[in-house]
Every structure is written in C-alpha cells, then in structure tokens.
Amino acid sequence: MTAPVPERRFTVAVVGAGPRGTSFLERLLAVLEEGGESGRTGPELDLVVIDPYEPGPGHVWRTGQSELFLMNTPSFFPTVAAAGTPGLRPSSVGMTFDQWRMAHPDRARVLDRTDYPPRAVYGRYLAEMFREVTSALKGRAGVGQLSWRQAEVVHLAPAPGLTGRATLTLDDGGTVQADAVVLCLGHVPARLTSEQRRLAEAADQLGLDYRGPSIPSDLDWDAIPAGEDVLVRGWGLNFFDGLAQLTLGRGGRYTATGAGPGRALVYEPSGAEPVLHPASRRGVCYLPKAELDAFVPHAVSLKYLVPQAVEALQAEHGPLDFAVHLWPLIHRDVVRAYYNALVHLHPEVLGGAGSATEFLAGLVGLLEQAGRGEPVTSHQAQTLLHGYAPGMPFLDIRTLARPFEGQVFETGEDYQREVAGFLEGICAEAAAGEDSPLMVAIGTLHAARLQVKRLVAEDRITDASRRRDVSGWFESLVEGLASGPPLERVEQLLAAARAGLVRFVGPDPQFEPDAGRSRFTVSSPQVGGAVQAQDVHRGTWMVEAMMPPNRVLQASAPLVTSMLADGVAVPHTVEDEEGEPVPGRGFDVTERPHRLVDAAGTVQERIFVLGLQLASVQWGTAIAAEAGRSPHGRARTLGDADAAARAVWSLAHSSSSSPPRP
C-alpha cells in the first residue's frame, strides 16, 4: 500500500487586521482569482489574521466609538480595495467607501460624497470589506483554513533559514507558525518624551490629571468635570475631536445663525462643558479645508513642479535637495496659482481687467526668468505688485502658516480677538472654495505635497534634506494649511469661543506645573506678560491633543520593542547634514515589496511591512489610499499591498517545488 503524500501547505500570518491588513487580503484575493483564471495551481494557503480588535476596523476605526469623531477626508476619497485603481486588477468583492456608502445608505447614515464621515461609519465599511474578502477567500480553491486570532503578537522569531517557519508568540500564551509574515501594525503606543514624562510625574505628585498622546477614542472624555479648565497642547485634528465630544457630546447645540462664514453658528451650552485652552507653536489651529467636490481644486495645475523639471534637476545634481531644488518650483506654482486666480476672480483689486492682466504677465515673466533653483523673492514680486496695488501685501505662503509671527499682544483679550478675526476670514475663504484665490494657492501647495510624497518614496531626495526640510518644516507647513478639519469644525470652534468655552493661549506655548497652586500653567511669550495673571492660563487638567508619535524607536508595543531588541528589525538609518547616521522613523526595509531588513543587514525574505512602519521610506503613511488613483502615487498603500500579495504568492509557489513537510 502506497503511503499518502504529505499535503503541501503554506501558512501566511497577517499581523494587524485594520485597513492595511484588509487591503493585503483583498489584493491576495485578486491574485488568487487571477491565478485561477490562468490555470495556475500551487500549495494550499492557510491564512491566520491576528489582531486584538475587530478585524477590518482594527483599533482606530472601531465601530463602537462616538460618531462625533470625523474622518479627515470626504466620502469620495478613501478606499481599502482596488476598485477602479488603474493598473491593479480588482477583486470580485472590492468596493471603495463611496461605492459602499451608496449601496448601503442604512449603514452609512445619510452621507453625501463630499461629507466627512464619522470614523465609526468608515469602520463599518472596513468590517464589511473584511467579511466579504475573507468569505471569498474561504470559498476559493487553494485556500485552506482562514482564521482570526483575537490576540496581540508580542514576539516574532524569524525562520532560521530560507525554508523554515517563523514563530509568533501571542499575549494569550499561544504561538503561530508561519511561512510568511505580513506586518500591518498601524498606530502603536509610544513612550512619553522627557518633557511629557516631567509633566506626567508632576501631575502624580500634585494630584493633577495629565493625558498623554492618544487615539481620541481611547481618551475618557467623560472624566473631565464640567466647568474645569483644560489646557490643551496641539490644535490639530485631535483637538477638534475633543471639542466635539466636550460640547455636542455634553448636550450642547450648534445652531445656524444665517450670518455667513465665520459666524455661521451659535453655541447653546448645556452647562456640562469644561473650558478649553488650546495652544500650538503656530498660535492658530489647522486651517479648514475648502468646500470642494475634489481632493485638489479643479483649477490647480502644476506648471513648474513637473516631471520634466524634476528629471532635469536630477540629471544635473543627482539626489535632490528639497530646499534648493524643489521648494523654488513649488513656490512658483503657488504664487502663480494665487495671482492667476486673483486676476480672474477679482481684477478690480489690481486696477481693473487691463492692469490685472499686465500685472499677471509681468509676474509670470519673473517666474519664467528665474533660474532653476532660485525662488522669486518677495522683494521682486512685491515691487511689481506695488505698481498695480500699492499697500497690498505679497502672498507669502510660509508666513500664512504662522500668521502672528513677530507680533506681541498686550493682553489675552487682544489675542482672542485677533485669532477670531483671522479664522473668520479664513472660513469665508474656505466657504468660497475654488472662488477663493487663497484656497487655490493652498490647493496648489497640497498638489505639490502629493508629488513630493512620490519623490520621497522613489528615494529621489537626499536623506539630509528629507530630515531637515521635508520633515523639518514642509510637513508642518502643509499639514497646518491643507490637512485641516472640515469647515464646520472651525465654525464650531469660533462659536464655542464666543460662548466663552474656548480661550486661546498664543504662539510657542510654555507648559509648566505650578506646585504652589497645584495647577498646570501655560502662557505665550507673545501675549501679555508674566505679571499679568489674566494672561497665564491655569487648570488641573492637561491633554496632549496628538497621536502617539509614529517612530519605531519610541514605540512601547511589545512586538516592536522585542524586534528591535532581538535585532530582528532596525530603524532605517539616514544621514544628517554633517553625514552622521541618524535613525529614521520607520523600519529598515527593501524597496517594494517592502521586506524587513535585520540588524545584520540581512533581508528577511518572508517578512513584509505595510503601513505606518514604512515611515522612513515613505511620507504620510497614515493617509488612506485615494480611490481611483495610481498605486504608485495617491493610492500607494494599495500598490504596496498588491506587491506584498504577489510576493507571498510567489513564495508559496516556490515552496511547492521543495520537499513537503511531514
């Protein structure tokens, strides 16, 4: 009697079942469907998905969180599936969020394509995509077992050789043996900085309440007492989540006034709200997004930061310096877009149609005559501008991000009025959408950011410049101007401020514990003086309104820390301006498909990395794939997932030619 041949099986462990893990499974399904049509066969795949949270939504997009927490992109933007993605084969079940929203209005509430969905609703989409994809995988020939382990991976021991199995240890004491591992970790907890530890320790000693960086849905907002003064560091998206939870979530109401942008809402308090004291280095919140039906204004077209110009610069200089080679091109695009829109929308401010056209021709001449690598200076443009509109300031997009730079305010009330007036004006611009030259300029900056993301991923910018310029100042510039909340959120902020529930602190805030008064304090060097008690903000609560930093060396997650300690992974190292090696934010990985590189420089052929831990070789890794866009550009996360799925399938096929395991 012939002995049975041992079954060839190939086990894939997907660590993390949030958006990146779901995208990987959707791409694997598409690869398997493609293979089935071609008649290819291979070993039977066993898939083990490991995540302590609900698969699909994962941690950030949990379906049970408050629906007051909104996404930062409108419905038409995000996707975890390659439906309509050029160059990628769609799977049989993949849908974009917008397609799912239209197919399931009962589960998506009443959302239009330009609405900003609650994160919990996006979580429902992710949960359904996970269920649909895994159901389709289970029904395919060539797929054996598919299981979800509700646990956290705390340790990873790679295979000792090219054909061995990795061992994953779980926090419940179990283990998983895998032939290939796909790490889709997403946001992981991080250690506090020395400054944050100092404040946390002071809080413990003085009986105060300090909340470090966190995902907004993890913070117990109900614990903050009514009427309490809450000092808030960070004036971005996490702040707006907190504002919504502490006003609408406390029973207050925002009602329309009919007064127009900037004063569109009035807040009716419930009496259960605390008083928020937000502060940021810029002295102002993230600006609201323009009211648009596209992610980039239709009127935006880059004229200077174009592939031909970048190729020419790279042919001459090699890897590019962002500040020297790319920022001048971006600057010209922004300036041109702003004044082109101004001339066509408001020619009267430049002396009428004829004068406005002359001015624009002169400005374009300046832009065209400037040599590569040389920005048009403010002085040049201001001189030209004054000939047509004396007294009009030249647009300086970098100054716009810090509108109160160099200003000193005698009192906090003066500053409160100044911020409110500035934001009211910005709300009017945002409401005008493409009819606002300023929003067109910011949209142009955003379009340039999308190109810079691609150049970073293609390793076309020097390490030193990426660190000094892209991460050093360009990232915060674009985030503050172009990555802000929907307009409604800033209208709510202004309404809450008029109701006395938000008190603005000032630029470059200084947070300190005050042992004598058992309070936290925060003040700004540009607002009032130390002797003016009314300009020092005090409270028993302090909240860091920011996400845990996406830096692997700062991570406190057991899996990441053990991988680094064991040498299974290392941070990608970059050079600073002096040529000194500096650890980057993410793991050291190969080019796409992003395989892990260990401390000895060995490529781990069977361990793949997707998502946030690619931060050393990509920029903006937390941003979702944009529906219908290129997998090499604005849908890069789908391209990464597709490459990993194809590599895993190739590994499985190569293993089938090896002797089967008994």
Side-chain angles (χ1 to χ4, degrees):
M1 183 176 179
T2 305
V5 177
E7 187 178 12
R8 290 185 173 90
R9 306 183 76 86
F10 190 90
T11 301
V12 182
V14 182
V15 183
R20 302 297 185 268
T22 302
S23 286
F24 170 78
L25 293 170
E26 192 269 342
R27 291 291 77 219
L28 183 60
L29 173 63
V31 171
L32 290 169
E33 290 173 338
E34 180 182 281
E37 290 176 6
S38 67
R40 288 184 296 167
T41 59
E44 192 159 79
L45 293 181
D46 288 334
L47 301 171
V48 184
V49 180
I50 310 167
D51 197 310
Y53 297 94
E54 179 187 0
H59 187 186
V60 172
W61 308 99
R62 298 193 302 273
T63 55
Q65 66 186 289
S66 167
E67 293 202 4
L68 295 175
F69 299 142
L70 301 183
M71 294 187 71
N72 190 36
T73 52
S75 296
F76 64 75
F77 178 90
T79 185
V80 291
T85 302
L88 295 185
R89 174 195 172 95
S91 72
S92 58
V93 299
M95 302 175 74
T96 69
F97 176 75
D98 205 33
Q99 290 170 335
W100 177 85
R101 170 191 68 83
M102 291 185 288
H104 303 289
D106 56 325
R107 277 171 275 175
R109 301 198 320 173
V110 181
L111 289 172
D112 290 330
R113 69 182 301 273
T114 56
D115 288 338
Y116 290 75
R119 289 202 284 272
V121 172
Y122 191 65
R124 292 173 204 154
Y125 157 73
L126 295 172
E128 180 155 336
M129 280 299 95
F130 182 88
R131 288 193 297 269
E132 292 289 332
V133 167
T134 53
S135 177
L137 282 167
K138 289 176 183 177
R140 287 211 61 80
V143 176
Q145 298 178 347
L146 194 160
S147 60
W148 165 45
R149 294 287 296 271
Q150 188 171 9
E152 180 181 359
V153 178
V154 296
H155 190 266
L156 168 60
L162 293 178
T163 59
R165 295 184 121 192
T167 301
L168 294 87
T169 304
L170 312 183
D171 62 351
D172 61 7
T175 60
V176 172
Q177 305 290 318
D179 297 285
V181 178
V182 185
L183 298 174
C184 311
L185 305 183
H187 288 283
V188 297
R191 298 188 302 276
L192 298 179
T193 66
S194 57
E195 159 73 2
Q196 292 164 350
R197 285 197 304 273
R198 180 177 70 88
L199 293 167
E201 290 166 0
D204 288 341
Q205 295 167 3
L206 300 174
L208 307 176
D209 286 280
Y210 173 84
R211 298 294 186 270
S214 66
I215 294 170
S217 57
D218 286 348
L219 200 151
D220 182 7
W221 298 99
D222 292 339
I224 300 176
E228 188 65 59
D229 287 294
V230 182
L231 311 188
V232 184
R233 175 154 51 190
W235 211 346
L237 304 174
N238 283 29
F239 166 79
F240 286 101
D241 286 336
L243 175 68
Q245 197 64 31
L246 294 171
T247 53
L248 293 169
R250 294 288 178 97
R253 294 178 57 212
Y254 293 98
T255 57
T257 64
R263 291 183 170 269
L265 300 175
V266 64
Y267 183 65
E268 301 173 16
S270 68
E273 302 89 349
V275 179
L276 303 181
H277 301 253
S280 70
R281 285 173 294 181
R282 289 185 295 269
V284 70
C285 65
Y286 279 21
L287 302 192
K289 285 189 172 72
E291 297 279 90
L292 301 169
D293 64 353
F295 197 52
V296 174
H298 296 292
V300 167
S301 175
L302 299 177
K303 302 296 184 183
Y304 300 103
L305 185 69
V306 293
Q308 305 94 294
V310 173
E311 295 292 345
L313 286 166
Q314 193 160 17
E316 182 177 350
H317 301 285
L320 301 175
D321 183 293
F322 177 85
V324 174
H325 302 127
L326 300 177
W327 173 248
L329 301 178
I330 296 170
H331 180 257
R332 287 181 224 175
D333 271 320
V334 171
V335 168
R336 179 190 175 280
Y338 176 78
Y339 288 103
N340 183 65
L342 186 67
V343 163
H344 288 95
L345 293 168
H346 305 290
E348 69 280 359
V349 304
L350 291 163
S355 295
T357 301
E358 285 182 12
F359 163 75
L360 185 61
L363 179 64
V364 171
L366 276 178
L367 297 172
E368 298 292 348
Q369 291 167 19
R372 286 183 310 184
E374 298 176 8
V376 175
T377 66
S378 296
H379 176 72
Q380 289 174 302
Q382 187 75 73
T383 300
L384 177 67
L385 181 61
H386 275 183
Y388 296 88
M392 177 184 285
F394 170 68
L395 174 72
D396 184 341
I397 199 72
R398 291 186 67 174
T399 298
L400 181 64
R402 292 188 67 113
F404 310 120
E405 186 82 18
Q407 296 185 52
V408 175
F409 302 89
E410 286 205 18
T411 69
E413 290 301 324
D414 292 338
Y415 180 69
Q416 188 86 358
R417 285 192 294 271
E418 189 75 12
V419 173
F422 172 77
L423 290 178
E424 286 172 12
I426 292 294
C427 285
E429 299 282 356
E434 295 208 34
D435 290 334
S436 161
L438 182 62
M439 290 296 117
V440 170
I442 291 173
T444 303
L445 182 70
H446 179 52
R449 184 258 288 271
L450 298 174
Q451 296 303 312
V452 172
K453 282 183 64 177
R454 183 166 185 163
L455 295 175
V456 167
E458 293 172 356
D459 199 24
R460 301 174 75 174
I461 301 175
T462 67
D463 285 347
S465 182
R466 277 189 58 195
R467 186 171 181 272
R468 180 190 66 238
D469 302 314
V470 178
S471 297
W473 60 267
F474 185 65
E475 182 174 10
S476 60
L477 171 70
V478 179
E479 286 182 349
L481 296 180
S483 295
L487 174 58
E488 179 186 24
R489 288 302 205 206
V490 180
E491 292 282 8
Q492 291 173 352
L493 168 65
L494 288 167
R498 289 191 290 270
L501 296 173
V502 178
R503 303 295 301 168
F504 309 136
V505 173
D508 297 315
Q510 299 166 351
F511 288 85
E512 295 290 341
D514 183 345
R517 293 184 174 89
S518 292
R519 293 286 189 274
F520 287 117
T521 69
V522 61
S523 60
S524 166
Q526 292 176 230
V527 180
V531 296
Q532 294 176 277
Q534 69 271 23
D535 297 327
V536 177
H537 302 246
R538 295 182 174 85
T540 59
W541 274 77
M542 179 178 171
V543 174
E544 304 278 8
M546 58 192 74
M547 298 290 278
N550 178 32
R551 295 181 175 87
V552 293
L553 281 181
Q554 205 170 332
S556 61
L559 176 59
V560 176
T561 57
S562 65
M563 288 171 65
L564 294 172
D566 295 346
V568 172
V570 289
H572 177 76
T573 300
V574 300
E575 286 188 357
D576 65 13
E577 294 178 75
E578 286 74 40
E580 292 290 330
V582 178
R585 295 181 178 182
F587 287 140
D588 194 10
V589 295
T590 66
E591 294 180 355
R592 181 188 281 180
H594 298 297
R595 291 179 163 95
L596 192 67
V597 178
D598 68 16
T602 303
V603 175
Q604 299 292 318
E605 297 287 343
R606 293 172 174 244
I607 303 178
F608 301 86
V609 180
L610 296 177
L612 271 66
Q613 286 70 42
L614 295 176
S616 287
V617 295
Q618 294 183 12
W619 180 43
T621 52
I623 300 174
E626 184 176 355
R629 296 296 179 171
S630 168
H632 304 290
R634 290 156 68 169
R636 181 167 292 274
T637 59
L638 291 179
D640 290 343
D642 188 79
R646 292 181 182 281
V648 166
W649 185 232
S650 178
L651 283 171
H653 273 72
S654 64
S655 75
S656 67
S657 62
S658 303
R661 284 189 297 272

